[in-house]
Each structure stands twice: as structure tokens, then as C-alpha cells.
Amino acid sequence: MLESKRWSIKNVEAPSPFELAMMVLSLVSVVIVLTMTFGHFDTETNKILLYIDSSICVIFMINFFYGLFKARNKTYYLRHHWIDFVASIPAIEALRIARVFQILRVIRLIRMSRSLIIPLLRQRKQTTLASLLVAMVLILAAASVLILLVESAEPNANIQTAEQAIWWALVTISTVGYGDFYPVSTIGHVIGGLVIISGVSFFGVISGYMASVFVAPDEQERSEAQEAQAAHKEHINNQLTQALEQMQQNQLKMEQNQQQMLDEIAKLRQQQDK
């Protein structure tokens, strides 16, 4: 019993990078829900938190239907991942608690898997995409909420609503800089500078990732090429082995024929001597 339990634990697959990303977003979403429930903020701040939570729910929904589309056994997938669909429904307070089960499930996988870093390093593309997704959501959420809290207290500020804060965060992180909304306070300038630096680093990573996708060979293509090369070598070795066996058989037949000829010659000599 203990051996079978140990065997099952050792053979549990480690969570994928996107599962870890969904766990982080679930944790962020739970924090947002708790903040909206127990925090005392103005209407615009609650609205921006609701926008962020709804955006995370959209990501959950896309991840759920993508997994359903990729699943071979859709009934099995729905039976084991229905909680993900429930947790991705926005604007319903009771269903948001279901995201805690998402976190607990991935934590259980992390505890049962023997190694977590090695699978992440092997799946570099998925790890990069998952990291970029989490970074984008966190940067946009933190920047829009902080700039709204800071600028709303300034009398001459032009960032006063949740929509304006989100638009400013999007424009700033993309380093476009339309200039229609901008911070006027010193703390707002510091936040803007940090967002610009994050945006430059963010899109630098995206550029490097896109370059690796189009320039570097894909891991699957590389493995297929290695498998094809190994199959070709094995085919050549099989042909050589068959050729050697055929040569040995031919040599054996020649030796047998030669022995038969010698025996017949010996018999003819005996008959001639008589």
C-alpha cells in the first residue's frame, strides 16, 4: 500500500507554467475580492478593482475553453475542471470563493511533484508566455489602482475615473505616450517612471521571445529531427546486420558446397583406385 502510494506520488506530473500562472492570478483575484469586500474605497477605486477582476475572469474563461478544446476526453476534463468554469464567472461574489480551490489544487500538485524548476526550464516557451501574462496583468492592475489613488487627491489632476486610470496605464506601459492623461503629483511621476521602465523591459522580453520563435528551432522540431536521425541510423544498422548475416550464410553454403565437392572427388579417386 505504501509502495503504491509512493509510486503514485512520484509519477504525478508537475503543474504546467500556465497552471502556475492561473494560480497566481487566482490569488490576485482573491485579494481583490477581499479588498473590495472589507476595504473602504471610493466608487472609482471599486470600479477599477471590478474591471481588473473581470479581466482576470476573462483570462480564466479563455484558459478553460482552450483546455476543453485540447482535451481528448472532454467528459473527464469537465468532471475535473468544472470548478475552473465556476470560478471564471465574474461579478458574482459567491462564485469567486471557488478560486480558492484552484489555488489549493495547484499547491497540491506542487507538493506532490518531486521537481518544479526542471519542467519549467524544459517548457521555456510556455514559461515565458505565462510569465508575460502574469506580469502584464500585475503591472496594469497595480499601476492603474495606484495612480488613481494618488491622483484623485490632487485638485488639478486629470486622472479622476477608473477608465482614465486604466487608459493611462495601457498607454504608459506601451510607451506610446498620447499625453491626454498624465500624472501631476510627484508620487504620480514616480509611478509613471516605474511603469515606463517596466513597459520597456516587458516589450523587450516580448521582442526576444518573438525572435527566438522565428529564429531558433522549435523544441518539437528538434526532437523530431533527432528521432528521424536515430531512426535512419537504426535502419542503416539493420541493413548492415542483414547484409552481414546474408554474407555469413552465403559463406557457409560455399563451404558446404566445397566440402561436398571434396567428398565427391575423394569417392571418385577411391573408385578409380579399385
Side-chain angles (χ1 to χ4, degrees):
M1 183 71 181
L2 291 176
E3 291 296 328
S4 61
K5 186 175 181 181
R6 290 176 184 174
W7 184 88
S8 62
I9 290 176
K10 290 181 180 180
N11 288 272
V12 171
E13 293 184 358
S16 66
F18 279 103
E19 287 179 335
L20 294 175
M22 293 303 109
M23 184 196 71
V24 175
L25 293 180
S26 299
L27 181 60
V28 173
S29 180
V30 170
V31 172
I32 291 175
V33 171
L34 294 176
T35 302
M36 294 173 60
T37 304
F38 299 103
H40 301 284
F41 298 103
D42 54 22
T43 305
E44 294 298 328
T45 304
N46 285 328
K47 186 188 294 186
I48 197 171
L49 291 175
L50 181 61
Y51 286 158
I52 295 170
D53 181 70
S54 300
S55 301
I56 294 176
C57 288
V58 171
I59 296 174
F60 289 158
M61 193 75 71
I62 294 173
N63 181 70
F64 172 79
F65 283 108
Y66 177 76
L68 180 62
F69 176 76
K70 295 281 289 184
R72 296 182 179 177
N73 190 343
K74 296 186 173 15
T75 304
Y76 178 85
Y77 183 86
L78 289 174
R79 189 167 62 248
H80 288 80
H81 293 271
W82 63 270
I83 193 69
D84 297 338
F85 177 76
V86 172
S88 62
I89 300 176
I92 301 179
E93 297 292 336
L95 298 182
R96 291 173 178 171
I97 306 300
R99 296 168 198 172
V100 177
F101 294 99
Q102 289 180 307
I103 301 173
L104 295 177
R105 186 185 65 202
V106 180
I107 290 176
R108 179 175 175 271
L109 288 175
I110 294 174
R111 291 182 60 188
M112 294 180 67
S113 60
R114 299 182 62 184
S115 177
L116 183 62
I117 298 178
I118 295 177
L120 293 180
L121 293 177
R122 289 177 179 174
Q123 306 176 41
R124 293 182 181 179
K125 291 186 178 180
Q126 292 188 12
T127 304
T128 303
L129 287 177
S131 302
L132 291 175
L133 176 64
V134 173
M136 182 182 66
V137 173
L138 293 180
I139 293 173
L140 289 176
S144 55
V145 171
L146 290 176
I147 203 66
L148 184 62
L149 291 175
V150 170
E151 293 295 308
S152 60
E154 295 293 329
N156 299 324
N158 59 359
I159 303 176
Q160 297 290 341
T161 64
E163 292 82 2
Q164 292 172 353
I166 294 175
W167 176 248
W168 172 85
L170 284 171
V171 170
T172 306
I173 196 174
S174 62
T175 65
V176 174
Y178 285 116
D180 48 355
F181 297 104
Y182 51 88
V184 297
S185 63
T186 303
I187 301 179
H189 291 159
V190 173
I191 295 174
L194 294 176
V195 174
I196 291 173
I197 295 173
S198 301
V200 172
S201 304
F202 182 78
F203 285 100
V205 173
I206 292 179
S207 301
Y209 172 76
M210 296 302 295
S212 66
V213 168
F214 289 103
V215 176
D218 187 71
E219 185 67 26
Q220 184 176 0
E221 295 178 355
R222 189 185 308 167
S223 62
E224 290 178 355
Q226 291 177 352
E227 291 177 359
Q229 186 177 5
H232 182 65
K233 289 182 178 179
E234 185 177 359
H235 179 67
I236 293 176
N237 291 331
N238 291 332
Q239 288 183 339
L240 290 175
T241 303
Q242 292 176 0
L244 289 174
E245 290 178 353
Q246 188 67 29
M247 290 177 62
Q248 291 177 355
Q249 291 177 0
N250 293 334
Q251 185 178 3
L252 182 61
K253 288 181 179 180
M254 290 177 63
E255 290 177 355
Q256 291 176 353
N257 294 332
Q258 184 179 6
Q259 186 64 36
Q260 289 178 358
M261 291 177 64
L262 293 174
D263 293 339
E264 290 179 357
I265 292 172
K267 289 180 181 179
L268 290 173
R269 285 180 178 176
Q270 289 178 359
Q271 293 177 359
Q272 187 178 6
D273 293 339
K274 290 179 180 180

